[in-house]
Each structure stands twice: as C-alpha cells, then as structure tokens.
Amino acid sequence: MRKYDLLEQIKAAGVVAVIRGNSAEEAVQLSRHAVLGGIRVIEVTMTTPRALQAIETLVKEYQSSDPKAANYAVIGAGTVLDSETARACILAGAEFIVSPALHKETVLLCNRYRVPVMPGAMTIKEMTEALELGVDVVKLFPGNLYNPSIIAAIQGPLPQVSLMPTGGVNLSNLKDWLAAGAFAVGIGSDLTKEAVQHSNYELVIEKARAYTEAYQEAKRELS
C-alpha cells in the first residue's frame, strides 16, 4: 500500500530535510539543492509564506515513480497545526504530514486518507495516545532537549514506538541517534541556515551531501 511504501522510503532515506523558507520560491530552491545533495525526503513547513504553492511545485518536479530516479523525492508538509491545514496540504500533493504536537483531529484526518502522519511528542503519555490513534512514527521534538539514550528509555515501556528526532540532530551526533534506534532524523536549520545567510544555495548541496554520506556510513558501521 502507498502509505507503507512511503514510510519504508522515509526510513530507508534516513534524513528528512526540514525546509523553512522566507518565501515559496526560497523553499523550492532550498529543497531542490537538498535533493541535489542526495536527500530524498523534503518537509516544507507551513510557516513558509505560500507553502502550499511550494509543495505543489516540488510534487510536480519530483513525481517519478522510481525511487532511484534522479528526479525522485518524497515531498511532505511540516508544522501542520490542525486538520484543515493537513487537508489543504494533502490536496496540494503532500505525501506525509508532520506536526510539532499531537493533535487528534489531524491524525484522524490523515488516517482517513491513508497519509503518513508524524506528530511531535515529548512524554510517554503523548506517545501512548499517538499509538492509540494509529500513528506510525512519532516526531521526538524538540530533539535538542535530549540525548540519543532517550530512545532506549522510551522504548523500554513502548518498544513498538518508532521515533524521529528533530531539532538538535547534527553531523556529530547523527550516528548516535541511529545507533540508539531512530526511525529517521529531521534536519532543519543546520542544513539551510548558512545558505540563506550568504544567499548561496550551493552550500545546501554540500551540507546535504555531508548528511547523506554520514547516514550511509553510519548504517554500514551499524549493520
């Protein structure tokens, strides 16, 4: 089924680029260069002005059915706060939905349309509620409040929960998060901040390539 194929592709890719642009055009450029650097999962946040336009553009560009094709990427929406926004994102072509917090109606809507949804959570109670609602992956957010050992602590009582830390993940601790059992990791400002500051999108390619190579190397060492 498409939903589970997408989840497997996100897990295999390992790195999700969280794109916050100052405009739709900037978000598209940042995303394009992240893909050129090897990142195949793009999350366009709804804090980006005209974010739906950016999602539509990227979905059209990266709609190849072959995950190995150069023009293939999974395009999703992030910072989705409510079910109305989630539905608009899905209609714009978003293939997965990410929220900073657990919102029941958003999860139920995504489940209705068989779209992967990854709500943010910090506590065992929130994660248990997410599992009860049928969430497949929980976004551990903000990740910079924890170290990778938190995954083992959480999966003690909840071994069935898949966690995607976002915020605070960087090249120096990426391997540690993967070794701890992270489903995937979300990378935001560390990927794009310098490029935006210097108006140089080539810096996104370099950083994306570094993250992609670090992920692949970590997977080889851990296998």
Side-chain angles (χ1 to χ4, degrees):
M1 297 178 66
R2 177 62 174 165
K3 175 182 177 180
Y4 297 109
D5 286 344
L6 286 170
L7 287 168
E8 285 300 314
Q9 289 170 28
I10 294 170
K11 182 177 181 180
V15 178
V16 178
V18 182
I19 304 296
R20 297 183 186 278
N22 294 312
S23 66
E25 293 77 13
E26 183 177 82
V28 168
Q29 288 295 335
L30 292 170
S31 299
R32 286 170 175 162
H33 286 77
V35 174
L36 287 172
I39 294 179
R40 295 296 184 139
V41 184
I42 303 295
E43 173 192 329
V44 178
T45 69
M46 295 305 292
T47 53
T48 299
R50 302 196 315 279
L52 294 178
Q53 177 183 320
I55 290 171
E56 290 176 347
T57 298
L58 292 167
V59 168
K60 289 177 182 177
E61 288 187 18
Y62 299 106
Q63 59 184 351
S64 171
S65 60
D66 181 6
K68 296 181 180 180
N71 64 328
Y72 179 87
V74 179
I75 309 298
T79 321
V80 176
L81 303 181
D82 49 57
S83 58
E84 294 85 358
T85 304
R87 182 57 177 151
C89 292
I90 293 169
L91 289 173
E95 297 179 282
F96 63 92
I97 300 294
V98 182
S99 302
L102 179 62
H103 185 256
K104 178 180 178 180
E105 286 72 22
T106 298
V107 173
L108 293 178
L109 181 136
C110 290
N111 286 344
R112 181 180 304 133
Y113 293 103
R114 306 297 292 164
V115 173
V117 57
M118 307 174 194
M122 296 178 66
T123 67
I124 292 292
K125 183 177 185 295
E126 290 174 328
M127 293 175 193
T128 301
E129 292 175 354
L131 291 172
E132 290 171 350
L133 289 171
V135 169
D136 295 291
V137 179
V138 173
K139 174 182 176 180
L140 183 62
F141 180 78
N144 54 8
L145 295 183
Y146 308 99
N147 65 57
S149 65
I150 190 66
I151 291 183
I154 292 169
Q155 291 182 335
L158 295 178
Q160 69 275 35
V161 67
S162 295
L163 297 167
M164 183 177 73
T166 303
V169 179
N170 52 52
L171 289 169
S172 63
N173 64 22
L174 173 62
K175 180 181 176 181
D176 296 331
W177 281 110
L178 295 177
F183 173 87
V185 297
I187 309 297
S189 61
D190 190 54
L191 177 67
T192 61
K193 185 178 181 179
E194 290 184 9
V196 172
Q197 287 178 339
H198 300 287
S199 299
N200 183 358
Y201 294 119
E202 297 298 315
L203 295 174
V204 178
I205 297 178
E206 295 176 12
K207 190 59 74 73
R209 187 173 292 127
Y211 271 106
T212 302
E213 291 174 355
Y215 172 75
Q216 295 297 338
E217 181 180 351
K219 292 296 288 184
R220 286 193 296 269
E221 293 180 8
L222 294 170
S223 62

